[in-house]
Amino acid sequence: MKEYTQDQMKSIYEARRARIAAYLTENGIGAAVYIDSEEHRDPAIPYLTGHNCDAIVIIFSDGFTYLIAWDEILAKKIAFCDKLVPYTRYKNKDIDAVRAILNVGYTHGVNSKVELPPYLTYPQYLHFIDALKNYDCRCKEDGVHKFTVECRVCKDEYEVECTREAARIGDLIVDKIEEGIKDGSIKTETDVALFIERECRAHGCERTGFDTLAAGPERSFAIHAFPGYTNAPWPAKGLSILDFGVVYKGYTSDQTITVAKGRLTPEQKKQLTLVQKAYDECLKLYVPDRAIQDAAKRADLIFAAEKRKMPHTLGHGIGLEIHEYPRVSTKTPSDVLFKSGMILTLEPGLYDETIGGTRLENDILITETGHEVLTKSRIIYIK
């Protein structure tokens, strides 16, 4: 992956916060508050500052940004902001911290209007209102916090590079898994899940993107097998599924392979062919300015022609979270289009208790002229 200097990283985060500040100014809002805690994780914190978790961010309409971090030492090393304040100064009480920073930094705001995060519970909101009597507090579903989510939809250069690296590492792991199947070192669902955990860390990843889903033929009928993996044989004769992702510098990949082992039934062969056809046909529609729902409709038509139905959406955005807006669904409004910079999954799948499950998933970057397939998942055939 390309190396970024401290100055370049500072510019990246400043540019993101500048978009928020412009929104605040345009909408006559003095400041916006973001809170990340064990009760509610908010990816806006790492998106706007680079800090990983447990912090409060307050952005004023002139762009000046305070980061109130629980882990001050870590924040000094990794975060980008205008002013870092230790959360412990306020005994880790979010209301006290927000009130103190608003009182100190109010001159950076165009007025006393403050937008609080919409994920506060109603009792929490009332407590903030009581504590911030000198401020005109708002809490809106369609306000600056929704705008922040929309800013994250189309990735900047750094985000694309991080996701490319996660995808590269994921592909290396898939190749090693195929080797492990053939040489006999991978025999169970637990084997493959723990192999992924070890390998992703060995290649510089922070963690897996979610709990790995490894399902042998006895469990692959489940869309998301529960539990995620057991000590059952994997892969065994029939259809096995592996769904995993790895996180590099905060950004996750998401890919699914199907392993078809041994002599397959005609029904299993047909299911594999159908899923591959849906993948190939829908990939052609992952292009800029095309309605996202068109791809989902195409998958449904392919499966319906064979009297089959896919029980989940065709895909979803990925980034700092494993499931981000937008969904690739027939229910996605027709005016929501693929846009350059979006990274979304393409994951057609079919499931049957007798046949087993088949899913093929890759991560797709929408470019100005078409798309780039970031991961290289595939259906693996083993004799």
Side-chain angles (χ1 to χ4, degrees):
M1 177 179 162
K2 172 185 173 182
E3 291 293 328
Y4 288 80
T5 67
Q6 282 290 102
D7 286 343
Q8 287 173 323
M9 292 303 302
K10 180 181 177 183
S11 296
I12 287 169
Y13 287 108
E14 285 178 344
R16 294 176 188 175
R17 298 197 299 268
R19 292 184 67 184
I20 306 303
Y23 177 95
L24 295 175
T25 300
E26 183 178 343
N27 290 274
I29 303 167
V33 177
Y34 304 82
I35 302 173
D36 181 276
S37 67
E38 291 180 350
E39 287 74 32
H40 185 280
R41 293 300 177 196
D42 188 346
I45 302 293
Y47 178 71
L48 296 170
T49 68
H51 191 58
N52 58 340
C53 64
D54 295 306
I56 297 171
V57 165
I58 300 178
I59 299 182
F60 288 90
S61 54
D62 68 352
F64 196 90
T65 300
Y66 284 85
L67 172 65
I68 306 105
W70 174 58
D71 192 331
E72 182 187 9
I73 297 173
L74 180 62
K76 285 179 179 178
K77 292 180 179 295
I78 68 173
F80 295 86
C81 61
D82 295 302
K83 181 71 174 178
L84 173 63
V85 182
Y87 197 19
T88 51
R89 181 178 297 176
Y90 310 104
K91 298 181 179 179
N92 295 351
K93 294 182 178 180
D94 52 8
I95 292 177
D96 291 348
V98 170
R99 179 173 55 202
I101 296 305
L102 288 176
N103 288 341
V104 169
Y106 72 94
T107 56
H108 291 286
V110 68
N111 54 36
S112 62
K113 292 180 182 178
V114 176
E115 195 157 317
L116 298 171
Y119 42 78
L120 292 177
T121 65
Y122 187 59
Q124 287 173 327
Y125 175 65
L126 293 180
H127 288 315
F128 269 95
I129 293 295
D130 289 341
L132 303 176
K133 295 184 183 298
N134 294 330
Y135 297 91
D136 180 5
C137 295
R138 314 291 177 88
C139 190
K140 301 169 61 179
E141 285 188 348
D142 61 347
V144 66
H145 298 84
K146 180 181 178 183
F147 176 74
T148 307
V149 171
E150 292 169 353
C151 288
R152 290 168 44 216
V153 170
C154 293
K155 273 54 181 177
D156 58 35
E157 176 190 309
Y158 177 72
E159 293 176 292
V160 171
E161 287 300 310
C162 290
T163 310
R164 274 206 186 99
E165 184 64 9
R168 185 189 70 82
I169 294 167
D171 285 341
L172 283 175
I173 292 172
V174 170
D175 290 343
K176 289 186 177 183
I177 288 170
E178 185 171 2
E179 293 172 6
I181 294 170
K182 292 175 179 177
D183 67 24
S185 60
I186 291 178
K187 297 183 177 71
T188 69
E189 295 171 357
T190 297
D191 286 342
V192 72
L194 297 184
F195 179 82
I196 291 167
E197 180 70 33
R198 183 175 65 250
E199 286 295 307
C200 83
R201 306 279 180 160
H203 286 87
C205 291
E206 299 152 19
R207 56 183 170 85
T208 56
F210 49 94
D211 288 341
T212 295
L213 300 168
E218 297 300 315
R219 306 186 326 120
S220 65
F221 64 83
I223 302 166
H224 281 174
F226 180 82
Y229 55 90
T230 69
N231 208 36
W234 190 99
K237 184 179 181 299
L239 304 179
S240 299
I241 283 178
L242 174 66
D243 186 352
F244 77 100
V246 300
V247 177
Y248 185 82
K249 294 189 182 298
Y251 291 85
T252 189
S253 62
D254 186 6
Q255 52 193 125
T256 305
I257 62 171
T258 297
V259 181
K261 184 176 182 180
R263 179 170 292 187
L264 304 177
T265 67
E267 292 79 13
Q268 288 172 327
K269 291 178 181 178
K270 187 173 184 179
Q271 182 168 287
L272 290 166
T273 299
L274 267 176
V275 169
Q276 185 69 62
K277 179 180 179 181
Y279 176 89
D280 293 340
E281 290 296 315
C282 294
L283 179 59
K284 299 173 185 176
L285 305 180
Y286 275 55
V287 293
D289 301 323
R290 181 89 188 224
I292 286 177
Q293 68 169 227
D294 288 353
K297 287 180 177 179
R298 180 61 181 153
D300 282 358
L301 285 173
I302 290 170
F303 293 143
E306 298 297 333
K307 299 181 180 179
R308 299 293 300 272
K309 183 174 178 60
M310 182 170 63
H312 54 74
T313 61
L314 184 63
H316 55 85
I318 60 171
L320 289 167
E321 296 179 288
I322 188 59
H323 292 109
E324 294 191 350
Y325 180 84
R327 295 275 182 170
V328 185
S329 167
T330 56
K331 296 179 182 178
T332 301
S334 59
D335 61 346
V336 179
L337 311 179
F338 287 115
K339 293 292 184 183
S340 178
M342 286 182 174
I343 303 178
L344 314 100
T345 65
L346 168 57
E347 49 182 301
L350 292 173
Y351 314 85
D352 183 273
E353 195 167 357
T354 301
I355 297 171
T358 304
R359 184 161 69 249
L360 175 58
E361 177 185 20
N362 277 308
D363 303 335
I364 316 298
L365 168 66
I366 308 302
T367 66
E368 292 183 359
T369 58
H371 60 250
E372 177 186 343
V373 182
L374 298 179
T375 51
K376 296 177 176 60
S377 294
R378 55 201 178 270
I379 297 172
I380 298 173
Y381 290 87
I382 303 291
K383 293 182 180 180

